[in-house]
């Protein structure tokens, strides 16, 4: 038996396509599918009930977040392996079988991610190293995007790695991830203090500390749109060139660093991000700068979000009440 978990929030149409791709491109027998709906207001739960009656629907009356919703299904899943699949991720033919085959062949692997591609066919980096203050600096300043093939400047995303062979990594995105049920029984489920973001990073870190290996393998291929659920939050601002809700990302980041590396790392990473935006704020008062007003407004807004997220989490020591 193989269990597949999809957490849904206001993604009805995309979720429908995700489920169609899953059932069309996966083996028919021995598949246990869960959809955990986090209080969607777009008819997602009804659509699943009516169009995919074979799916086990867990409908929540409030948005519990990604970690807690997955944990609901973890507790009910009976498969030897569990695949986490985002509703905006569409598996290609045989992706599920190839993921299972990799796990069968690598008994020391607790978590494995597949190759993610954007709808245009371009690579969505799927192999990651644990975050550090240095990788944050390179990302914020644009150095990593300027030198994407550099194994130093783009170390976080394994710069220069063609994603063409299996490789041991620090963590893999939860977009399409296969996990060993025995590993979860040993180390526990997602830490529900992470409402969204960093929960998979934290889980991979715990797995590695317990002696399990984390792998990326290119054979299971998945098309990923990115940010489908997050972008339904019209009341929040987003990180540039990303699909993450800015305040949620910061809250989870401070929680991750405080839990795993201590207060000094919270201060270092928050300080780098705040310092960068204060510098941009000053620089964009200089004459001749393109879109200076917009850049100043964004930097000022980001500084306010940093301060508020630190207050909300008491410098990473507590998680605000859900829903965020």
């Amino acid at each position: 038996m193989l269990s597949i978990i999809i957490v849904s929030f206001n993604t009805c149409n995309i979720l429908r396509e995700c489920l169609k791709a899953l059932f069309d491109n996966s083996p028919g027998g021995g598949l246990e599918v869960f959809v955990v709906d986090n209080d969607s207001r777009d008819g997602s739960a009804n659509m699943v009930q009516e169009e995919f009656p074979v799916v086990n629907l867990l409908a929540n009356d409030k948005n519990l977040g990604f970690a807690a919703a997955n944990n609901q299904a973890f507790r009910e899943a009976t498969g030897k392996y569990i695949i986490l699949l985002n509703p905006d991720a569409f598996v290609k033919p045989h992706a599920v079988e190839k993921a299972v085959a990799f796990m069968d062949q690598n008994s020391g692997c607790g978590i494995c991610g597949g190759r993610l591609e954007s709808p245009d066919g371009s690579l969505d980096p799927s192999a990651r190293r644990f975050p550090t203050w240095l990788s944050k600096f390179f990302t914020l300043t644009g150095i990593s995007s300027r030198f994407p093939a550099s194994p130093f400047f783009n170390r976080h995303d394994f710069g220069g790695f063609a994603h063409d062979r299996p490789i041991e990594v620090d963590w893999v995105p939860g977009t399409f991830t296969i996990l060993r049920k025995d590993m979860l029984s040993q180390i526990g489920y997602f830490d529900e203090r992470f409402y969204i973001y960093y929960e998979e990073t934290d889980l991979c870190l715990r797995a590695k500390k317990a002696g399990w290996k984390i792998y990326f393998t290119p054979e299971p291929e998945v098309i990923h749109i990115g940010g489908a659920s997050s972008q339904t939050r019209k009341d929040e601002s987003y990180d540039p060139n990303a699909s993450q809700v800015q305040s949620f990302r910061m809250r989870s980041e401070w929680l991750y660093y405080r839990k795993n590396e201590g207060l000094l790392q919270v201060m270092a990473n928050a300080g780098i991000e705040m310092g960068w935006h204060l510098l941009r704020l000053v620089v964009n008062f200089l004459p001749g700068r393109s879109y200076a007003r917009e850049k100043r407004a964004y930097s000022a807004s980001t500084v306010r979000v940093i301060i508020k997220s630190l207050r909300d989490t008491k410098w990473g020591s507590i998680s605000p009440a859900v829903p965020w």
Side-chain angles (χ1 to χ4, degrees):
M1 177 67 73
L2 171 69
S3 303
I4 296 177
I5 301 172
I6 304 170
V7 174
S8 168
F9 177 63
N10 290 335
T11 57
C12 183
N13 293 330
I14 292 176
L15 175 61
R16 178 185 291 110
E17 298 306 312
C18 170
L19 288 168
K20 284 182 179 178
L22 175 64
F23 287 116
D24 288 347
N25 297 326
S26 303
L31 206 61
E32 177 184 60
V33 181
F34 294 89
V35 169
V36 188
D37 186 77
N38 264 335
D39 195 28
S40 295
R41 303 303 172 89
D42 65 349
S44 293
N46 288 337
M47 181 276 293
V48 172
Q49 282 183 316
E50 294 172 4
E51 300 181 27
F52 301 93
V54 70
V55 169
N56 300 286
L57 175 67
L58 305 177
N60 293 322
D61 58 6
K62 70 176 180 178
N63 190 339
L64 300 179
F66 184 78
N70 274 295
N71 286 353
Q72 284 181 277
F74 281 156
R75 287 187 281 269
E76 296 195 20
T78 62
K80 177 182 179 181
Y81 303 119
I82 300 174
I83 288 180
L84 305 185
L85 182 65
N86 279 7
D88 59 359
F90 313 129
V91 299
K92 290 188 177 183
H94 309 297
V96 169
E97 297 100 311
K98 290 175 180 177
V100 170
F102 184 88
M103 298 296 281
D104 284 342
Q105 294 161 13
N106 295 272
S107 60
C109 177
I111 304 174
C112 182
R115 180 184 172 93
L116 307 180
E117 297 178 357
S118 298
D120 63 4
S122 61
L123 177 68
D124 187 356
S126 320
R128 303 281 172 82
R129 286 190 172 92
F130 291 129
T132 65
W133 66 267
L134 187 59
S135 61
K136 172 174 280 293
F137 175 78
F138 287 149
T139 300
L140 278 173
T141 58
I143 293 175
S144 59
S145 59
R146 181 170 294 186
F147 302 101
S150 169
F152 178 69
F153 293 124
N154 194 25
R155 185 176 182 275
H156 180 67
D157 283 338
F158 281 80
F161 174 50
H163 288 64
D164 56 355
R165 58 185 171 83
I167 185 175
E168 188 174 352
V169 299
D170 285 344
W171 69 280
V172 287
T175 306
F176 175 87
T177 311
I178 185 167
L179 307 95
R180 196 176 297 272
K181 184 70 178 293
D182 286 348
M183 180 207 68
L184 290 174
S185 298
Q186 177 190 355
I187 70 171
Y189 301 155
F190 282 129
D191 185 338
E192 295 184 11
R193 289 176 293 179
F194 300 99
Y195 182 72
I196 187 171
Y197 313 133
Y198 281 85
E199 66 285 296
E200 71 265 63
T201 315
D202 176 75
L203 186 71
C204 287
L205 179 59
R206 286 159 45 208
K208 289 181 80 74
K209 286 180 176 178
W212 295 94
K213 293 184 177 181
I214 314 299
Y215 275 95
F216 160 84
T217 184
E219 292 191 348
E221 295 182 329
V222 178
I223 299 172
H224 181 219
I225 296 176
S229 292
S230 296
Q231 290 174 6
T232 65
R233 290 295 298 264
K234 304 304 182 184
D235 56 327
E236 298 287 345
S237 59
Y238 295 84
D239 286 321
N241 305 317
S243 304
Q244 294 181 323
V245 177
Q246 191 181 56
S247 62
F248 294 1
R249 185 268 298 171
M250 290 180 186
R251 287 176 173 182
S252 290
E253 187 173 354
W254 315 146
L255 289 165
Y256 172 84
Y257 279 118
R258 185 66 180 266
K259 174 184 176 180
N260 294 300
E261 299 185 32
L263 178 59
L264 287 178
Q265 284 296 326
V266 177
M267 296 170 66
N269 282 272
I272 288 171
E273 190 156 0
M274 185 177 294
W276 172 250
H277 283 287
L278 288 173
L279 177 62
R280 291 182 79 244
L281 187 62
V282 172
V283 167
N284 280 293
F285 275 106
L286 298 175
R289 306 286 297 183
S290 300
Y291 304 103
R293 180 179 297 177
E294 292 85 349
K295 291 177 180 178
R296 289 198 305 267
Y298 178 76
S299 289
S301 172
T302 300
V303 169
R304 289 192 293 270
V305 173
I306 294 170
I307 293 171
K308 187 176 187 304
S309 65
L310 289 169
R311 288 175 177 168
D312 289 343
T313 61
K314 295 188 185 300
W315 291 80
S317 62
I318 65 166
S319 178
V322 299
W324 285 8

